[in-house]
Amino acid sequence: MLEIKNLHVKIADEDKMILNGIDLIVEDGQVAAIMGPNGSGKSTLSYVLAGKGDYEVTEGQILFNGTDLLELEPDERAAAGVFLAFQYPIEIPGVATMTFLKAAMNAQRAARGEDELTMPEFMRTVRSAAEKLQIDQEMLKRPLNVGFSGGEKKRNEILQMALLEPKLCVLDETDSGLDIDALRIVADGVNALRAPDRSFVVITHYQRLLDYIVPDVVHILSRGRIVKTGDAELARQLEKSGYAEFVDAA
Amino acid sequence: MTMQIARTETPAERALAEDFAARGKALGHDAARSALFERFRNIGLPHRRIEEWKYTDLRMKVRDIATPAPFSVSTPAESKGVRVENSIDPIALEERFTGFEGPIVDLIAAFADTGISASVEAGATISDPLRAVYAQAQGKRSHAASVYRFGDRAQATLVETVNAPDGGGQSLQNTHLHVGDDTNITYIRHIDVGAGGTHLGGVAVTLGQNASFRMLLVVSSGDLVRTDIGCRFLGSGANGDLRGLHLAGSSRHVDTTLFVDHAVPDCSSRELFKAVLDDEARSVFQGKILVRPDAQKTDGKMMSQALMLSDTAEADSKPELEIYADDVQCGHGSTTGQIDDTYLFYLMARGVPRREAQAMLVSAFANEVFDDFDETLAAEFSGVSEGWLARHLG
Ligand SMILES: Nc1ncnc2c1ncn2[C@@H]1O[C@H](COP(=O)(O)OP(=O)(O)OP(=O)(O)O)[C@@H](O)[C@H]1O
Ligand SMILES: [Mg+2]
């Protein structure tokens, strides 16, 4: 699914290096967790995957099902099946949530060579996906994320993921800001999407999420490098002992 | 001693004088028109040393005068409670008030050979919008002056369009709105005078007691468009909501100059003027709120915002508050910005192609001027703005 080779990334217009040679493979159908201290570069990695412009790749390569991801614009990556659930979903005043969802879904369908959804089909699809995530229909009448609570924004990200049916889902701290029930609902939503041809990169600080979404593999990122890879047990060990041991190893 | 600064007439001013000498009499209301033209001639085409014309120097910009041809005027339909005449109301030639006066107002009236004179009866509720269109023949010069009276308690919407085909015509049109007490009136003015087109004109509004008035100006084409808006509060408790949208690309120049005159207490005014600018376009917004000594408890807020789609566009904003009452709440603000990259990235990360994402964000910016407008009208004019966008981003 995803193959990251020796990825070096710096902030564009600055010399500051953030990722210092990441090697990472995510297999088809795999759930890979990425953990690591604050500021270690987890969100940066997720942004680089999605194609955010503020970063410059100085070395390395990202292959997504064999194609060079770095050559693609953000919308082309989305069309190819990359989805990033943002750590901090932004509010976009004036853009109606439903208009946005429709544009996104139709863009995705166009990329797959499918016809645009009719209005009733669209409404039905959104309504049923929203119900599963216990998202109030009233919320969807507002401008995108505007005035949503932290947890509502996170749920809205997962709603978009469910509607767009991506191949690679990158979840950047989707659990932070969610209450206990919401965490369960969101995790169920993610688990429902697990499939042999769909992979997940789950960035988190907490074992609690990984109790619900059990990872196949856990990577520890520190100072822009993967310093340790293990199975679900590694995350549990981290919860007890913290990062000290691994960070020192970096 | 007054010093007379010798002014050389420009070729354009000379051409206007010749045209007036040739046709003035035939237009009727001879004395009134001669006085108007003399007043125009004393000052001539306004230039940048006149404060209100600082950014729009007509002496420089108007080089030629097109041959005259009347607008083809389509008047609002008469109906129960609505009287319409396809003729000039003498008031349009005579009436002046502070903030809506000057050489261009005089020039428009002096030559006006078309105009609408209409009234809505007191207490009438007119559900369908009244629509007036001033259509200009290609490359010609046309003048019109119209007057509308809205009786007390009337509720109505008026949509005026000045349009011209591409090809450099000069359209000059003014409208007076007399808005009575306890009314609820919406006025939309759409200027769409084509590539090469020049438009000069505007609207003068007087508001009665407890009147609720909202207006929307949309300028979607024309190379040189200057709109003057004068809004005068005559009765207490009235409320004016004035909005505008400039859509301009290439090297077009769009200027809206606003004067809000709070003469009586307990009135509120809101001004929201937006511009979407591409290429080398330039947008000017000058807004002045005058609060006279009697106008206690005035609540006035003015905002102008420009969204730049290119690095070479320019937006000038000159807000002014002149306050002579002590118990008032007035403020103004202005912003200039580009499409927010974080927004753009978010939309694109969900698969929305760049152009479509840009269009969504520009519409989000522009559509704020349609907030709380009647849905059908909001859709009609957001359609105008989306059409413009499709041509510019497409
Ligand atoms: N646009 C930017 N400009 C300047 N510094 C940046 C920028 N983006 C990221 N950084 C810096 O890069 C480092 C990595 O940031 P990143 O957001 O990737 O960390 P993270 O691992 O996601 O942290 P957290 O767990 O707190 O979310 C931090 O030191 C951050 O300050
Ligand atoms: Mg982060």
Side-chain angles (χ1 to χ4, degrees), chain B residues 184 255 330:
Chain B
N184 189 344
D255 174 341
C330 287

Side-chain angles (χ1 to χ4, degrees), chain A residues 56-92:
Chain A
E56 188 185 322
V57 175
T58 55
E59 227 184 302
Q61 206 182 12
I62 304 179
L63 293 176
F64 177 63
N65 291 326
T67 55
D68 183 354
L69 204 58
L70 296 174
E71 287 295 301
L72 304 180
E73 289 277 314
D75 57 317
E76 296 170 319
R77 299 183 195 198
V82 176
F83 182 92
L84 167 62
F86 287 76
Q87 181 174 1
Y88 304 110
I90 53 170
E91 303 191 1
I92 309 191

Side-chain angles (χ1 to χ4, degrees), chain B residues 163-210:
Chain B
N163 65 31
D166 293 346
Q170 296 170 331
S171 59
L172 295 90
Q173 195 279 333
N174 268 342
T175 292
H176 287 222
L177 304 175
H178 294 267
V179 177
D181 297 347
D182 304 299
T183 44
N184 189 344
I185 303 301
T186 298
Y187 172 69
I188 298 180
R189 183 176 179 86
H190 180 199
I191 306 302
D192 185 18
V193 293
T198 292
H199 174 77
L200 304 173
V203 55
V205 191
T206 56
L207 298 181
Q209 192 169 323
N210 296 325

